[in-house]
Amino acid sequence: MPTVIPPIDPLGLPAAAALLKALSLLTFTLHLVAMNVTVGGLMMALVYGRCREGHPGALFAARMRALLPSAMALTITLGVAPLLFVQVLYGQAFYTSSVLMAWSWLLVIPALCVAYLGLYLAYLRPSWIGDRSQALAWFSVALTLLVAAIFANNMTLMLQPGLWAPLYATSAYGIALNLGDPMLPARYLHTVLAAPVVAGLVGALMGRRFRSPDAEWAVWAWRTGVRWFHVGAGLLMLSGVWYLLSLPPRVGSQFLGASAHDTGVLTLGIVLGVVALAVAKRSAWLATVLTGLGVGCMVVARHRVREYMLYPHVNAAGIPVHADSVWAIAFAVTLALGAAAVAWLVYRALRCSGSTEGAAPD
Amino acid sequence: MNYPIWDVPLTGGGLLIAAIAVVHVFISHFAIGGGLFLVLTERMGLRARDAAVLEYARHHTNFLTLVILVFGAVTGVGVWWTIALVNPTAVSALVHLFAWVWAIAWVFFLVEIVAALVYRYGWGRMDARTHQAVGWVYFGSAWLSLLMINGILTFMLTSGKWPETQSLTDAWMNPGMLPSLAMRSAVCVALAGVYALITSSQLADLALKERMVRYSAKWVIVGAGVIPFAGLWFAGTLPEQARFLASGGTPMVTAFTVASVLLSGLLITGTVFGPMLFPRQTHVTFACVLAALALGATGATEWVREAVRKPYVIYEYMYSNSLRPADLADVSSLGLLASSRWHVPAKSDWNDPVKIGRSVFRVQCSSCHTVSGLNSIRFATRGWDKALLDQQIQYLNTLKGAMPPFIGTDEERGGLVAYLISLQAEGPGASAALPARSEGERLCRR
Ligand code: HEM
């Protein structure tokens, strides 16, 4: 089996593996949060979009809808960086599994385009498509969930070097999937269930933000958001247990005591989640920060699963480093300036969000 | 050799890349130029205190920021996505070499998206100065991400000093980088103008229409006017072999080069004699024809850029079939299949030359040839006999098509010949009907 593992790229890593891993985890966490806001926000917008005019749910859905195209655009943009780092660190596994499932992997691109276009038409140009906008939005959700499923497929198939050669022997046409893997459904569910949790927080925060013009509505939004957060997190915990049990024992056991670090990270993630649940009713901001940190812990756990599954066949720490410090510093400076620019832009946008003259018309 | 090969029947993977790349190039340059267009048009409206011009700029913000920008992003990811499926070894090389350049480009790209969203949101909400500043951040970061990526694209064709120095700075600051940047920037401006012609030609207020159509036409003329000069500058930096391919070496590539120049010329002429001289009469259909010319010119140019890179995917570093000149000696002595991780026939098949040949073909030829679809190998070798095939394969890099040299042992070459002969026997429209061509006949034909 190990003979099919592609060799290390002779050009090597551009920096120490640990630094690249840190960047990968950081950017992936941001991507995941944006993804959750998009998917969960869509679910909420659809559920409350059916409320009749005048019900607080109708305004809630409208405000959610206004966020979604931007949230999806950010999800896509924030996904680019982790995609870069996964190739740099684990290209040997990632390219191989991608080629094996080439057609479905390729499907991600048109599916994203159509899903985004659907959102844009349904929520920003409702006048163009009339009463079909709700149906179109459902279609977009389905496509988004499909994209997530394809991702889960590739991210688990790349962890299974033993499956590659047999799958390729069955077909070289790029039509393989990883459907026989017990990890896949559990992992998929666990990732997707985080969406209503995070979006619930967004809803609760929205209740806080728009408190002044309409206090009654704000209370409703706040309560609804917190309810989604609580119910979603309960389901998420259950799916997490299933996921943990679906891991191969040699890997799962690491999180159940065999490795103090890994057990600690997972426990910390769960504790942060539980504390967030407990404080959510009192402070949505605190719950948001805690949940963000909890997601960060889970991303680290996910990373550790990958390292265990791939070791020793693919091991980023074993790739020679051809560091270029000038360019690494250039990146650090750009990142700092970019973060400052984003902060300034967001600040400007928030400062003018009180005035209601309206955004660009058609 | 190192990765499994995705078998795309009939067309091969190359066509998929081309399809998505042309769409992406068109949309992404348009997105960048569109940013500049919005900011400058808004500025013009602000200076003249002209509400109609401001309304015109504001009217296009949604489409440019929410549709074009996002589709530019998705299709751009899509290009690399597809190349990674068709040639993972090459993408791996680019990703490892240029990781920091990609990462920097990504930061600009993120700022661009956030700024564009805020710019859209800020219309009528922000004071004019802040809004203009946001617009400049939007356009500036868009152009900076082009600056970063452009160096990677030209590196694939003009690797410059990098093969000797192995320095990332030399790789990025390669000879083609600046001329290509000039060319792409000009394309951005021209495409923004083309789009603006489509929208301004539909304005109902004739006085406003006249102003905006003329204004948009200037964008096209300035942008498209710079392209030929930047193009010549770029052509001057090309490797000799690439220039040869584009200017007569291969009829097909030359035809596309000519098409690209002709279409650009038509675009300028059409813009001068249409919208520039007769702004009030300009019809949206005419504007769409100009857009089609621009799309054609962009597509042809990108096609040439890809085609003249043969036989390399990364100049002087890696051939289109993922083999590296640097590995030539090792692979030749050890054997192609013995050096491969994938496509190694089962032990029991090692005595079967046809099976060995099939693997050799997949590893070494299938990146450019399909069996019987596009650039079919069955067609290319129709009627060749064993001796001729064996002899030609030894000189593969001197045949037409700008191919890499054959790499492998004598036994593997024998297997490849046996496999190609077996294709003639089984395929439609080949074999017995045609008389076998001898070497003498072939030499005459050349
Ligand atoms: C509020 C509670 C929780 C949140 C917000 C949360 C969220 C997440 C997210 C978003 C991921 C990334 C999944 C991926 O991209 O594949 C993840 C991974 C993970 N979670 Fe959770 N989770 C929670 C609770 C739990 C619980 C209760 C368990 C187990 C008992 C658990 C076990 C795991 C494991 C093992 C991973 C690592 C994954 C890998 O292989 O990728 N989580 N979590």
Side-chain angles (χ1 to χ4, degrees), chain B residues 31-51:
Chain B
I32 299 170
L36 184 63
F37 183 81
L38 286 178
V39 189
L40 285 181
T41 310
E42 182 189 18
R43 196 171 77 146
M44 180 169 96
L46 286 171
R47 293 219 164 147
R49 293 175 196 279
D50 187 332

Side-chain angles (χ1 to χ4, degrees), chain A residues 28 32 36 159 183 187 190-191 194 197-198 233 236-241 243-244 247 255 266 269-270 273-274 277 291 294-295 298-299 301-303 305-306:
Chain A
F28 177 64
L32 207 57
N36 289 332
L159 304 182
M183 269 192 311
R187 179 163 169 158
H190 189 58
T191 315
V197 178
V198 173
L236 187 62
M237 298 252 175
L238 289 177
S239 70
V241 175
Y243 183 25
L244 193 57
L247 293 173
F255 296 91
L266 182 60
I270 297 171
V274 171
L277 277 178
T291 307
V295 172
M298 292 302 171
V299 167
R302 176 179 176 282
H303 167 72
V305 168
R306 172 143 70 200

Side-chain angles (χ1 to χ4, degrees), chain A residues 3-7 9-12 14-15 19 23 27 70 73-74 76-78 80-81 83-84 87-88 91-92 95-96 98-99 102-103 105-106 108-109 113 116-117 120 124-125 151 164 168 172-174 324 327-328 330-331 334-335 338 341-342 344-345 348-349 352-353 355 357-362, chain B residues 2-9 16 20 55 58-59 61-63 66-67 70-71 74 77-78 81-82 84-85 88-89 91-93 95-97 99-104 106-111 113-115 117-118 120-121 123-126 130 133-134 137 148 162 168-169 172 317 324 341-343 362:
Chain A
T3 57
V4 301
I5 309 285
D9 194 292
L11 295 174
L19 174 63
L23 287 170
T27 52
S70 308
L74 281 177
I76 293 167
T77 315
L78 289 168
V80 173
L83 187 68
L84 169 67
Q87 295 178 60
V88 172
Q92 295 151 279
Y95 295 127
T96 307
S98 304
V99 170
W103 281 111
W105 190 236
L106 199 61
V108 166
I109 303 295
C113 286
Y116 180 81
L117 199 63
Y120 176 77
L124 293 174
R125 307 280 178 164
F151 263 97
W164 299 342
Y168 193 54
Y173 291 115
D324 191 315
W327 279 88
F331 169 68
T334 316
L335 187 63
V342 169
W344 177 76
L345 290 163
R348 281 292 166 185
C352 71
S353 72
S355 69
E357 224 197 286
D362 290 354
Chain B
N2 295 327
Y3 287 95
I5 291 171
W6 177 27
D7 205 334
V8 184
L16 286 173
I20 188 156
E55 189 51 38
R58 174 176 161 147
H59 194 78
T61 306
N62 257 354
F63 182 67
L66 281 177
V67 180
V70 173
F71 276 75
V74 178
V77 174
W81 203 272
T82 319
L85 291 174
T89 318
V91 171
S92 173
V95 155
H96 283 90
L97 176 58
W100 289 128
V101 180
W102 292 110
I104 292 173
W106 170 73
V107 175
F108 289 133
F109 177 46
L110 182 64
V111 175
I113 292 264
V114 175
L117 294 173
V118 173
R120 164 182 172 269
Y121 182 74
W123 269 110
R125 287 192 168 108
M126 276 173 185
T130 312
V134 171
V137 172
M148 302 315 293
W162 177 76
L168 174 54
T169 309
W172 184 72
Y317 177 71
R324 301 187 315 157
R341 307 280 163 124
W342 294 80
H343 313 285
R362 298 207 60 195

Side-chain angles (χ1 to χ4, degrees), chain A residues 217-238:
Chain A
W217 179 84
V219 171
W220 185 91
W222 159 260
R223 289 230 178 96
T224 307
V226 171
R227 183 145 26 91
W228 276 69
F229 178 69
H230 278 163
V231 174
L235 293 172
L236 187 62
M237 298 252 175
L238 289 177

